[in-house]
């Protein structure tokens, strides 16, 4: 931010509004909600302190009293949408795989509702109130897994990372399909025909065998479930 020294800090450790003065006119929840509305409508590139201030009806400079850095604004946004997780109260039924699968599905749905989310996700944002709530729930869901907490944290990170990668790839494929002057199926047919010609002379015997066997069929949802199940298999 112009004219403001960059320094590390945790926004959750700061008061809602820096300095003295009257009661704050806006809460962090108000600011985060405004930024999320902008990002949902116009993308993360449209989120600026000026645009958020305009959405709230306040001056841009006054917004810095609430949110000193744009990184803090992003963290507020991530925490706000993380509050959309539906986490049941109390312990689960002990089926840690089923609970992690359900959480993975929620994460995918969350990122689809807010396509900008993978762009600003950071491990540094793991200390927000809703992030801590999510992590505590995950660790409770994993009580039935005989593994140290370090391994459980690794599992949670790998599930989230895998889901994010899958969703980002879904976005990329959809964007590419929209840009094609023909259908993606037509594109695939041409490319598979070319590939078949390349392996036909025996130069790539293993690849030819793999293509003959073919991948397991399935739509995007089935492939997602298979990916998560195989990841969980590695920890079971």
């Amino acid at each position: 931010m112009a004219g403001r020294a960059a320094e590390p800090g945790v926004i959750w450790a700061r008061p809602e509004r820096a300095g003295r003065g009257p009661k704050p006119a806006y809460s962090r929840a108000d600011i985060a909600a405004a930024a999320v509305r902008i990002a949902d409508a116009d993308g993360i590139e449209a989120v600026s302190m000026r645009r958020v201030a305009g959405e709230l009806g306040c001056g841009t400079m006054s917004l810095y009293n609430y949110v000193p850095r744009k990184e803090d604004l992003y963290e507020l946004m991530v925490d706000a949408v993380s509050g959309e997780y539906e986490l049941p109260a109390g312990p689960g039924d002990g089926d840690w795989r089923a609970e992690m699968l359900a959480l993975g599905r929620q994460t995918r749905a969350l990122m689809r509702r807010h396509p900008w989310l993978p762009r600003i996700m950071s491990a540094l944002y793991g200390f927000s109130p809703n992030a801590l709530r999510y992590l505590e729930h995950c660790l409770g869901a994993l009580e039935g897994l005989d593994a140290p907490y370090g391994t459980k944290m690794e599992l949670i990170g790998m599930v989230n990372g895998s889901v994010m990668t899958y969703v980002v790839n879904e976005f990329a494929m959809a964007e590419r399909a929209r840009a094609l002057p023909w259908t993606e199926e037509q594109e695939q047919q041409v490319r598979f025909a070319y590939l078949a010609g390349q392996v036909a002379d025996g130069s790539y015997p293993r690849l030819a065998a793999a293509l003959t066997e073919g991948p397991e069929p399935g739509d995007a949802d089935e492939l997602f479930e298979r990916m998560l199940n195989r990841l969980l298999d590695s920890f079971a």
Side-chain angles (χ1 to χ4, degrees):
M1 297 300 176
R4 291 181 175 268
E7 59 182 32
V10 180
I11 192 168
W12 312 107
R14 303 178 184 131
E16 280 270 336
R17 182 183 185 277
R20 300 176 181 178
K23 181 181 178 180
Y26 307 101
S27 68
R28 286 174 178 161
D30 295 331
I31 296 168
V36 168
R37 285 196 300 271
I38 294 167
D40 285 347
D42 300 320
I44 194 63
E45 297 84 359
V47 176
S48 67
M49 299 298 273
R50 182 185 300 275
R51 179 80 182 272
V52 174
E55 181 82 7
L56 293 170
C58 68
T60 303
M61 295 310 296
S62 67
L63 194 60
Y64 286 108
N65 290 321
Y66 301 88
V67 186
R69 307 175 303 169
K70 194 169 186 179
E71 291 78 8
D72 295 325
L73 180 60
Y74 286 163
E75 187 163 358
L76 291 177
M77 295 171 68
V78 172
D79 183 69
V81 299
S82 296
E84 296 177 17
Y85 277 103
E86 295 181 5
L87 306 179
D93 60 7
D95 188 343
W96 65 269
R97 287 180 59 106
E99 294 205 46
M100 292 308 296
L101 276 170
L103 287 167
R105 295 182 191 116
Q106 283 202 58
T107 300
R108 184 184 180 210
L110 186 69
M111 292 183 176
R112 284 175 154 187
R113 287 196 300 273
H114 307 288
W116 49 268
L117 184 57
R119 296 273 303 276
I120 64 171
M121 284 291 290
S122 169
L124 296 176
Y125 299 162
F127 304 99
S128 71
N130 282 317
L132 295 176
R133 168 177 164 263
Y134 171 82
L135 286 172
E136 182 67 20
H137 176 80
C138 287
L139 291 172
L142 291 171
E143 282 293 331
L145 175 62
D146 185 15
Y149 276 118
T151 301
K152 292 176 181 180
M153 290 293 288
E154 188 176 75
L155 187 158
I156 296 167
M158 290 180 70
V159 167
N160 286 336
S162 298
V163 172
M164 183 164 63
T165 300
Y166 192 92
V167 173
V168 168
N169 187 55
E170 284 186 304
F171 290 159
M173 290 177 65
E175 184 67 25
R176 183 175 181 278
R178 284 193 292 269
L180 288 174
W182 45 76
T183 67
E184 189 166 356
E185 289 75 15
Q186 290 173 313
E187 175 85 3
Q188 288 179 345
Q189 288 174 2
V190 170
R191 292 183 174 274
F192 284 144
Y194 169 80
L195 182 58
Q198 293 300 300
V199 303
D201 64 359
S203 299
Y204 309 99
R206 296 175 185 83
L207 181 55
L211 292 173
T212 300
E213 184 176 319
E216 294 183 45
D219 60 18
D221 293 338
E222 291 170 324
L223 293 173
F224 177 79
E225 295 286 319
R226 198 149 65 227
M227 177 272 293
L228 269 189
N229 272 295
R230 285 175 175 167
L231 173 58
L232 296 175
D233 284 344
S234 67
F235 285 86

